[in-house]
Each structure stands twice: as C-alpha cells, then as structure tokens.
Amino acid sequence: KNKKSEKIFIDLCYPIIWGALKRFDQLSYEDKEDLIQNIIIKDIYGKERDWSGIKKFRGDSKFTTYLYRIITYRALDFIKSKGMKYKSKTDSTDDVRINIASEGISIDNQIALNDALLILKNREREIVKLASEGYKHREIADKFKIPVNTVSSLISRVLKKLKNFMQEN
C-alpha cells in the first residue's frame, strides 16, 4: 500500500515486459504500449487495484518466468484477436529462436526453450542452430575453423547448460 514501493515495483517490471514484447515484430509500438498497460493493470494490480493479480504468483519459479508467461499469453491473445499470426524470429543467429510448435511441443516448452537459448553465447547459439539444422560436426568445425572434438565438446556443454536452465525454471 506504499505508493513509493508500488512505483519502484512497476518501474522494475516495465522494462521486463517491454523486452519480452520485442520478439513480437507484428505488434506496433502503440499495441505494445497498450499491452503493457493491460498487463500492469489486470495481471499485476488486479481488477480492484488490490494487487490480487500479483498475489497469484506462487513462488515455485522465478518471478520473471511467471511474468514472461503472462506477457506471452497476453501478446498471443492480442495477436489472435487482431487476426494476425505469430511468427517466431529465426532470421539471425543473434536472436536464435527455434520454432517447434509444429512438432507438438507446448507453447510453455517453446517459450522456455527460447528463453534458455538467450543464456548462450553467440557462437554457442550459432553452433546449436547449425546442429539443429542437421549439419554434421565436421561441417560445423570447417565453418568455424575449429577441431571436430571442440564442436562435440561445445555441443555437449551447451546441452548441459540448457538442461540446467530448463530444470531451474
């Protein structure tokens, strides 16, 4: 009920929400601003402005994971309501995203995997992307001018990183 604390909390959430909405290219700046306001009002404050929205957070995951899930569902609902289709970014290795929805994996798992990919270094993401596209370790090694064993070790370490991230979140 402290106004200063409320402002600090919202000021901390705002960039997280904005950053999560960046991946939705089909949304305009104004749409993203509207979504942020709706998320803050409905999902954080609650309908009665009694913080009932945030009280739903059980604490069994990181708060940011909880918030990302809300943001994603709200954005996907908004996109669907406008008759648009969600397109995952796959153009650059700087923002590697794996579109696995067609393989029958839930949206929660797709979101978690894409969040996990963000913890990787650029080179690790590039190598994982090539491996996921079916490139042989030898081809990847030639492309990066590194030994094949290095590629194998790197992929093994990356898989462990991703597994640990997924288990923690």
Side-chain angles (χ1 to χ4, degrees):
K1 303 215 181 218
N2 180 324
K3 293 293 181 193
K4 188 175 180 181
S5 299
E6 286 180 20
K7 182 176 178 358
I8 291 170
F9 183 73
I10 297 302
D11 287 348
L12 290 171
C13 289
Y14 191 91
I16 294 169
I17 298 169
W18 184 257
L21 289 174
K22 278 185 178 179
R23 72 174 191 239
F24 297 97
D25 286 339
Q26 58 272 60
L27 296 177
S28 68
Y29 178 86
E30 291 78 18
D31 290 340
K32 290 176 184 176
E33 285 288 332
D34 288 345
L35 273 168
I36 290 171
Q37 293 304 314
N38 285 332
I39 289 167
I40 289 171
I41 291 168
K42 292 179 183 173
D43 297 306
I44 294 178
Y45 282 134
K47 291 179 183 174
E48 304 297 321
R49 291 192 59 91
D50 60 355
W51 294 89
S52 60
I54 203 68
K55 289 177 184 173
K56 293 177 185 173
F57 175 60
R58 295 186 310 253
D60 53 355
S61 66
K62 285 184 178 177
F63 176 72
T64 52
T65 303
Y66 172 76
L67 194 55
Y68 284 135
R69 194 158 282 140
I70 289 170
I71 297 161
T72 301
Y73 288 133
R74 292 284 179 230
L76 291 173
D77 285 346
F78 183 84
I79 289 168
K80 188 177 178 182
S81 74
K82 295 287 186 180
M84 298 184 275
K85 292 193 177 191
Y86 171 64
K87 292 179 213 135
S88 191
K89 287 185 180 181
T90 56
D91 298 348
S92 89
T93 55
D94 292 338
D95 190 14
V96 175
R97 303 197 88 59
I98 297 177
N99 187 356
I100 54 178
S102 62
E103 297 175 18
I105 296 179
S106 74
I107 187 96
D108 287 344
N109 287 337
Q110 183 178 356
I111 293 164
L113 179 59
N114 286 329
D115 287 345
L117 288 171
L118 296 175
I119 69 166
L120 301 178
K121 296 175 186 169
N122 286 339
R123 185 169 122 169
E124 292 172 333
R125 283 197 303 264
E126 290 173 338
I127 290 173
V128 167
K129 182 176 186 273
L130 292 173
S132 71
E133 290 173 354
Y135 284 84
K136 307 273 187 249
H137 289 201
R138 162 66 51 210
E139 296 169 314
I140 296 170
D142 291 344
K143 179 177 172 68
F144 286 93
K145 297 177 178 53
I146 57 177
V148 176
N149 289 342
T150 302
V151 172
S152 299
S153 296
L154 193 139
I155 290 174
S156 177
R157 284 194 308 273
V158 164
L159 291 175
K160 285 180 186 174
K161 267 189 196 179
L162 292 174
K163 180 181 175 185
N164 289 338
F165 180 87
M166 298 290 278
Q167 287 174 341
E168 291 173 4
N169 297 300

